[in-house]
């Protein structure tokens, strides 16, 4: 029996994505929203909506009882969790079952089985799915790690058992790097997952990240729906996804698909799921299984024509899926660009702000899955990924050009977004050739970077002189010809609609908390960002090499290694572990050179 009413336990673009399918299926929908999301776009896409608490997700979107109570109160028979929040929470899946509400997702046992990366590796090995060479048991001590690493052979990867998506992932290229990789992975895992269990794998140099979409129903059918290449990542954050992978042969793809079906069957999987692999040449190695609908499911939908959310709902209602392996026929090529409210030119830092003007691209082969509109406020407390731009065309290069066309139509004013970054990336020769763009992305590692050229909204500035620029577009007519004029001015001079305000005083940079700023002192090692000092790696009097890590600063739950910009002797350490620092704050001083 199909559901009459379904609750969507999520927010933003994915809530809208699910609500759209529910409406198409004739199923009444229920949204839940936090106080911060009262005016959010997704709420208006639902038939009913319920306030579930304050902004922080731990007090709203993550509170199992509130979500289940709301489902009961509204008469919803099932809950779709989207991705993130409660999507891969086995306790939530079980609580739903106990409350007599259907969880639109896999069985709790399958979530559990894939939750521990170590257990998943053992299960997959048993099922005949190739895994990255390494151990399938926890590695408890550094001494054990040394022995195992020699056995696996360097370079080795140290990974958190509870991890995934790169959290608690460290690499030791040589034995002398093992201690810091081991301790780093442990510490990060403890912090994120309250679990310090780690394991060791061979580190594969420059692999591709290729995943396989699967669907499984209660009627004995498990199918795979092609691959997605997610190799363009920065700090384990995916930026662009595409299908089919430009580096995967038809034979490799078929082997990966068949292995993925075996993998799903081994854990008695139901619903939509994704098998992540590392690909190197014609070989593939299981990394992890994501037991949810993923952000990038859209590119699979674009080439297969299958509505994956609709299949999830059908499967959860006990129906057979509407497709079979021999009716799945991917056609053409699709790309997805994540439109994050982030500034690529400033280390991809989030740019929460109100959207003052907004226009989405449209036209042939273009899909926008967005959670925002003009007037929306992008809140600091939620994910900065606010929209996805998906294009389809008959082949990769046509799709790439179509993406550039769509990006050029996309207008977002207010926050900085990744639109200028994607316009730059999609023109890079390495990207055009289907490369993973490791070097192109490395440019954006630790310091402000200019995208250069006319594409950028904020062109190059001298490092020390750099100041945030605001942009206003004007139209000028000269001799009856129309010109679009982009005016840029220091953001500190006022961002009103009237443009620059010369009367306003310049905003002072930095200041409180951590004392002096590095400005242009060649002897100062500065914090690249506002954050908290986790560790200080050197003491006054020690000599350091250029590039040596001298401190670790945590910001937005990321550990950032601060390296010395030159060789020298530490004259003075200005900070200690636990201390809050501003961006550009002096962490330590080197003795003057010469
Ligand atoms: C690896 C790896 C190399 N060897 N594991 C893990 C989480 C995901 N975000 C990428 N992960 C990797 N795991 C072993 N044994 C390299 C990566 C990796 C990566 C892989 C493909 C494409 C881009 C990547 C960027 C960073 C890390």
């Amino acid at each position: 029996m199909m559901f009459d009413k379904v609750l969507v336990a999520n927010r933003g673009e994915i809530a809208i994505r699910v609500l759209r399918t529910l409406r198409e299926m004739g199923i009444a929908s229920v949204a839940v929203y936090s106080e911060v999301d009262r005016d959010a776009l997704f709420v208006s896409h639902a038939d009913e909506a319920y306030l579930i608490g304050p902004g922080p997700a731990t007090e709203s979107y993550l509170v199992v009882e509130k979500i289940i109570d709301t489902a009961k109160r509204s008469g919803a028979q099932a809950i779709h969790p989207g991705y993130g929040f409660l999507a891969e929470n086995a306790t939530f899946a079980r609580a739903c079952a106990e409350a007599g509400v259907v969880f639109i997702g896999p069985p709790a046992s399958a979530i559990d089985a894939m939750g521990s990366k170590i257990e998943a590796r053992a299960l997959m090995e048993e099922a005949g799915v190739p895994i990255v060479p390494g151990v399938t048991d926890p590695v408890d001590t550094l001494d054990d790690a040394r022995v195992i690493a020699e056995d696996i052979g360097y370079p080795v990867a140290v990974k958190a058992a509870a991890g995934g998506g790169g959290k608690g992932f460290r690499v030791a290229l040589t034995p002398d790097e093992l201690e810091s990789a081991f301790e780093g992975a442990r510490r990060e895992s403890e912090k994120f997952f309250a679990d310090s269990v780690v394991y060791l794998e061979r580190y594969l140099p420059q692999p591709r990240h290729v995943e396989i979409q699967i669907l499984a129903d209660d009627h004995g059918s498990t199918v795979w729906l092609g691959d997605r290449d997610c190799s363009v990542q920065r700090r384990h954050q995916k930026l662009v996804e595409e299908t089919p992978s430009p580096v995967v042969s038809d034979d490799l793809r078929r082997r990966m698909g068949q292995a993925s079906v075996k993998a799903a069957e081994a854990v008695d999987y139901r619903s939509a799921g994704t098998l992540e692999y590392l690909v190197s040449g014609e070989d593939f190695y299981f990394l992890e299984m994501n037991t949810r609908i993923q952000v990038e499911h859209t590119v699979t939908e674009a080439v297969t024509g299958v509505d994956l959310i609709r299949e999830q709902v059908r499967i959860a209602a006990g129906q057979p899926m509407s497709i079979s392996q021999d009716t799945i026929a991917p056609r053409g090529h699709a790309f997805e660009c994540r439109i994050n409210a982030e500034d690529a030119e400033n280390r991809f830092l989030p740019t929460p702000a109100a959207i003052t003007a907004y226009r989405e691209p449209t036209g042939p082969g273009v899909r926008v899955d967005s959670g925002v509109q003009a007037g929306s406020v992008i809140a600091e407390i939620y994910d900065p990924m606010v929209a996805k731009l998906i294009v389809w065309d008959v082949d990769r290069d046509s799709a790439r050009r179509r993406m550039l066309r769509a990006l050029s139509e996309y207008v977002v004013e207010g926050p900085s977004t990744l639109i200028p970054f994607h316009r730059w990336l999609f023109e890079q020769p390495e990207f055009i050739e289907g490369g993973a763009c490791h070097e192109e992305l490395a440019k954006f590692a630790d310091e402000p970077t200019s995208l250069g050229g006319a594409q950028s909204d904020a062109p190059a500035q001298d490092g020390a002189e750099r100041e945030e620029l605001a942009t206003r577009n004007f139209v000028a007519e000269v001799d009856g010809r129309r010109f679009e004029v982009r005016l840029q001015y220091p953001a500190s001079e006022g961002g009103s609609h009237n443009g620059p305000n010369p009367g306003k005083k310049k905003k002072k940079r930095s200041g409180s908390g951590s004392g002096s700023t590095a400005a242009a002192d060649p002897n100062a090692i500065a914090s690249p960002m506002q954050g908290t000092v986790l560790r200080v790696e050197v003491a006054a009097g020690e000599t350091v090499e250029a590039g040596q890590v001298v401190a670790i600063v945590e910001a937005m739950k990321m550990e950032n290694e601060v390296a010395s910009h030159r060789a020298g002797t530490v004259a003075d350490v200005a900070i200690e572990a636990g201390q809050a620092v501003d961006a550009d704050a002096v962490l330590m001083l080197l003795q003057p050179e010469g």
Side-chain angles (χ1 to χ4, degrees):
M1 261 280 288
M2 186 42 72
F3 310 117
D4 302 311
K5 192 185 273 192
V6 169
L7 181 146
V8 179
N10 214 302
R11 61 180 303 284
E13 71 85 16
I14 191 61
I16 294 177
R17 167 70 193 86
V18 176
L19 290 165
R20 283 180 163 146
T21 283
L22 293 175
R23 186 151 292 171
E24 287 174 10
M25 296 180 79
I27 298 171
S29 61
V30 181
V32 292
Y33 62 94
S34 74
E35 286 165 16
V36 168
D37 277 336
R38 269 203 183 94
D39 300 318
L41 182 60
F42 75 90
V43 175
S44 64
H45 279 255
D47 296 315
E48 296 168 51
Y50 295 82
L51 175 67
I52 52 165
T58 49
E59 297 171 52
S60 48
Y61 299 108
L62 284 168
V63 183
V64 169
E65 306 79 59
K66 285 186 179 179
I67 304 284
I68 291 178
D69 284 353
T70 308
K72 299 302 273 184
R73 182 148 74 99
S74 64
Q77 298 133 333
I79 299 178
H80 196 299
Y83 53 70
F85 295 140
L86 296 168
E88 295 182 276
N89 185 321
T91 305
F92 177 63
R94 291 198 175 92
C96 286
E98 271 158 36
V101 179
V102 176
F103 175 72
I104 302 179
S109 55
I111 301 177
D112 274 338
M114 291 300 180
S116 161
K117 306 304 154 192
I118 295 183
E119 235 177 89
R121 277 167 60 77
L123 275 170
M124 292 302 104
E125 191 171 39
E126 239 170 85
V129 179
I131 61 174
V132 184
V135 297
T136 51
D137 286 309
V139 178
D140 296 324
T141 66
L142 179 59
D143 284 342
D144 289 350
R146 290 202 186 286
V147 175
I148 292 162
E150 289 299 336
D151 195 45
I152 294 173
Y154 285 91
V156 295
V158 187
K159 295 188 173 185
K167 294 263 158 61
F169 167 77
R170 294 295 157 97
V171 180
L173 297 175
T174 55
D176 57 291
E177 290 180 359
L178 186 64
E179 178 169 4
S180 118
F182 185 77
E183 300 300 344
R186 261 181 120 70
R187 196 162 19 114
E188 199 167 299
S189 183
E190 181 62 43
K191 191 173 65 187
F192 278 104
F193 311 112
D195 178 329
S196 61
V197 176
V198 299
Y199 64 101
L200 262 59
E201 280 179 2
R202 158 112 25 93
Y203 177 73
L204 307 174
Q206 308 259 312
R208 301 286 292 211
H209 175 134
V210 183
E211 57 191 33
I212 299 285
Q213 177 71 55
I214 63 104
L215 279 172
D217 67 19
D218 275 335
H219 299 263
S221 177
T222 301
V223 299
W224 64 282
L225 296 100
D227 68 279
R228 294 187 288 259
D229 193 313
C230 313
S231 298
V232 178
Q233 303 181 2
R234 179 184 178 273
R235 297 194 167 183
H236 307 294
Q237 297 297 315
K238 295 168 186 169
L239 294 167
V240 175
E241 300 96 345
E242 65 179 301
T243 184
S245 167
V247 301
V248 170
S249 67
D250 287 345
D251 176 66
L252 174 57
R253 185 174 297 109
R254 195 172 324 106
R255 286 188 284 128
M256 291 175 73
Q258 286 164 358
S260 301
V261 169
K262 277 196 293 183
E265 287 173 346
V267 293
D268 223 355
Y269 203 79
R270 296 291 182 277
S271 193
T274 299
L275 283 296
E276 285 191 1
Y277 299 96
L278 293 181
V279 164
S280 177
E282 286 294 304
D283 295 320
F284 68 102
Y285 306 94
F286 171 81
L287 257 194
E288 57 193 68
M289 180 172 189
N290 298 320
T291 55
R292 60 168 189 273
I293 194 76
Q294 285 186 281
V295 172
E296 62 270 25
H297 75 277
T298 56
V299 292
T300 301
E301 294 187 327
V303 298
T304 61
V306 174
D307 180 336
L308 291 168
I309 306 286
R310 188 196 298 162
E311 297 306 323
Q312 282 190 302
V313 174
R314 288 176 62 104
I315 292 165
Q319 299 187 349
M321 64 179 101
S322 69
I323 46 166
S324 61
Q325 193 66 66
D326 31 290
T327 61
I328 296 166
R331 177 160 169 265
H333 201 98
F335 284 108
E336 172 178 276
C337 284
R338 297 192 183 200
I339 309 300
N340 300 355
E342 292 175 347
D343 184 358
E345 296 189 304
N346 191 18
R347 291 167 278 129
F348 282 72
L349 291 180
T351 55
I355 295 179
T356 51
Y358 187 78
R359 190 178 72 220
E360 290 178 354
T362 176
V366 174
R367 163 176 172 181
V368 181
D369 276 24
S370 161
V372 296
Q373 61 185 347
S376 291
V377 176
I378 298 168
E380 200 170 356
I381 57 171
Y382 301 125
D383 198 296
M385 198 211 67
V386 295
K388 306 179 307 204
L389 173 55
I390 305 102
V391 303
W392 179 92
D393 209 327
V394 290
D395 58 38
R396 188 173 190 271
D397 203 55
S398 307
R400 184 186 70 82
R401 289 163 191 272
R402 180 163 276 174
M403 180 62 85
L404 283 165
R405 185 271 293 173
L407 287 164
S408 76
E409 288 180 10
Y410 210 151
V411 176
V412 184
E413 282 179 24
S416 294
T417 72
L418 295 189
I419 292 168
F421 166 80
H422 289 303
R423 295 182 71 178
W424 173 84
L425 181 72
F426 272 65
E427 303 251 52
Q428 296 306 299
E430 174 76 1
F431 186 87
I432 294 171
E433 282 167 30
C437 295
H438 293 293
E439 276 168 35
E440 284 71 12
L441 287 159
K443 288 200 217 320
F444 297 88
D446 296 314
E447 48 195 60
T449 308
S450 170
L451 292 167
Q455 304 290 8
S456 163
D457 277 348
Q461 293 269 299
D462 284 345
E465 291 290 301
R466 185 188 163 83
E467 193 183 0
E468 300 242 338
L469 288 181
T471 306
R472 294 276 309 148
N473 294 326
F474 293 90
V475 173
E477 241 177 48
V478 180
D479 270 351
R481 180 170 173 196
R482 181 190 163 94
F483 292 88
E484 286 185 14
V485 180
R486 172 164 292 174
L487 183 62
Q488 291 182 319
Y489 53 93
S492 55
E493 290 179 9
S496 78
H497 273 271
N498 302 320
N501 176 355
K504 269 197 189 161
K505 285 223 180 73
K506 269 200 174 182
K507 186 175 85 190
K508 274 219 193 111
R509 294 192 69 186
S510 191
S512 69
S514 54
S516 58
T517 61
D521 182 348
N523 302 316
I525 303 176
S527 177
M529 71 250 320
Q530 185 192 335
T532 305
V533 177
L534 263 190
R535 278 197 302 162
V536 182
E537 302 276 30
V538 295
E542 271 185 54
T543 57
V544 295
E545 290 164 29
Q548 183 178 334
V549 174
V550 296
I552 296 176
V553 175
E554 182 189 306
M556 288 167 299
K557 299 190 176 177
M558 293 280 296
E559 288 190 15
N560 301 280
E561 295 183 334
V562 182
S564 180
H565 54 287
R566 66 164 168 90
T569 304
V570 178
D572 187 29
V573 177
I575 40 117
E576 55 185 46
Q579 188 177 330
V581 289
D582 284 336
D584 213 29
V586 175
L587 301 180
M588 51 191 78
L589 288 170
L590 300 176
Q591 283 174 8
E593 274 179 307

